[in-house]
Amino acid sequence: MNLRIDNLSLAFDGKPVLREIAAEAKDVGVLAIVGPSGGGKSTLLRILSGLLPPDSGEVFWDGSKMSFREKDLLAYRRKVGTVFQAFNLFPHLSAEENIALPLREVHGCTLADARDKAMERLARFQLKDHGHKKPGALSGGQRQRVAIARAMAFEPALLFFDEPTSALDPEMTYEVLEAIREVREEGRDLLLVTHEIGFAREIADELWFLADGKILEQGAPKDVIEHSGTEEAKRFFERVLRW
Amino acid sequence: MDAPLLYTTARRAPSRIGVALGWIVALAALAGFFSFAFYQLDYAWNWDGVWEYRQKFFTGWWTTVWISAAALVLSTVTGFLVALARSSPVHVLRSLSTLYIELIRGTPFLVQILIFFYIVADGYGISNRYLVGVIVLSVFSGAYIAEIFRAGMEGVSSSQRESARAVGFTPFQTLRFVILPQAIRQTLPPLSGQFASLIKDSSLLSIIAVNELTLNAQEVNSFTFSTFESFLPLAIGYLILTLPISLFSRRMEERLKHPS
């Protein structure tokens, strides 16, 4: 992906969340955004995934400007996949139907085609025997993997992950990170907001450090983590890597 | 299996005998309570006089059934549309629906019937009192149902709406595939209560001479002077309609539970 952000600002009820953000990622497969809680990471991801229009500023994907009119955003959201922290799935539908319903209603698949694709995706994430279960009967890690399966069922070129493991215990976190790695191995571009610094360093080509509504650091993950220039970033990485 | 409300400790599933015994004791206590009262009253029952008029009960009951059924459908449609209007981005729709809900819920049904029958229906040339009855009952009940629907839809979490947006659903698809199926379970208990109320409230239509169950019972009473014998069948006539509704709602609630 080629992503450029210009002067992006957003305030909630007069409180600025993003302050004139500017950053660029050129020819990047995986972009990870890290930083302290409340710094605006999830808000930035929501704007980039077409869920939230900014107050001002511009976003360019491969050089073309992103339109924030609701009609265009809807079309945009139908091209990208998004996975949230938790509560992604529709609780009244089985795992299989969670995947198949958007395929039928949004992407125009036939009943049989949608079911086949859903089962194929579930099988890829070792969830073959869980397709008939509703989310309430799945573990947290299984739920997130179903959510990932749903987000990539229509073969999007770009996927967004908003802290996909922060509600999970370590074992489940491992399952989900493995699933994300598999998604990457299929050659899809990823943009992820995460607390898993180790995972970000491993998988990302580019790392942005976002704090207090500003991008303070950007570059190759190793450089950003080991040689951060700002005090905030230094302190942050020191703490999260301490234990 | 009901969720424990008061009891926080896990309970064993109740035995059949225990359940049956519970019902027997409850019914016996109720029967005893009223038997004693009637015994004190030393009332001379006159069922023969009322039995003569049994046909009136049947025709009245049937009128109550079809008026309620028609109003049930119409008020559900009204309530649904008003609930949507209340959360609509169009200001006029929001004000209109709020006005409607507050006026209807804030005034007695009796007054609404009289105003609608003698002023509105008259002014707009609706002369059929049965039609007026169905409309006014639907308008009245629709305001309550609108609030029930609104609460149900608002009860669906915002993360569900965001998920729906993220998978590319339009607002209408979000409503149809995500909000409504989840809201329906929260909505069933108050909705069935409202349906039972609607059936009972239809009795007030007797004041504009809609020939339903209550009006017939009143007439039988005035012919026979046997008040209890006229009104006890009346109560049973309504129970026959309202009990199945609450039983049905409970079964649906069970079926719509999410896990597994």
Side-chain angles (χ1 to χ4, degrees), chain B residues 2 26 29 65 78 108 121 138-139 172 190 214 234 251 255 258:
Chain B
D2 290 325
V65 169
T78 308
S138 307
V139 166
F172 175 74
T214 303
L234 178 66
R251 286 193 52 182
R255 278 188 47 190
H258 292 156

Side-chain angles (χ1 to χ4, degrees), chain A residues 22 32 40 53 69 86 107 112 115 117 142 145-146 149 156 176 187 189 192-193 200 224 226 236 242:
Chain A
R69 286 166 47 210
H107 303 284
R115 195 178 44 222
K117 278 188 178 160
Q142 289 170 335
R145 284 185 289 149
V146 174
V176 171
D189 286 347
L192 61 133
V193 164
V224 172
E226 286 166 20
F236 176 80
R242 180 78 178 85

Side-chain angles (χ1 to χ4, degrees), chain B residues 229-245:
Chain B
E229 294 88 333
S230 307
F231 286 115
L232 281 177
L234 178 66
I236 291 166
Y238 284 109
L239 266 180
I240 291 172
L241 297 177
T242 53
L243 274 183
I245 290 182

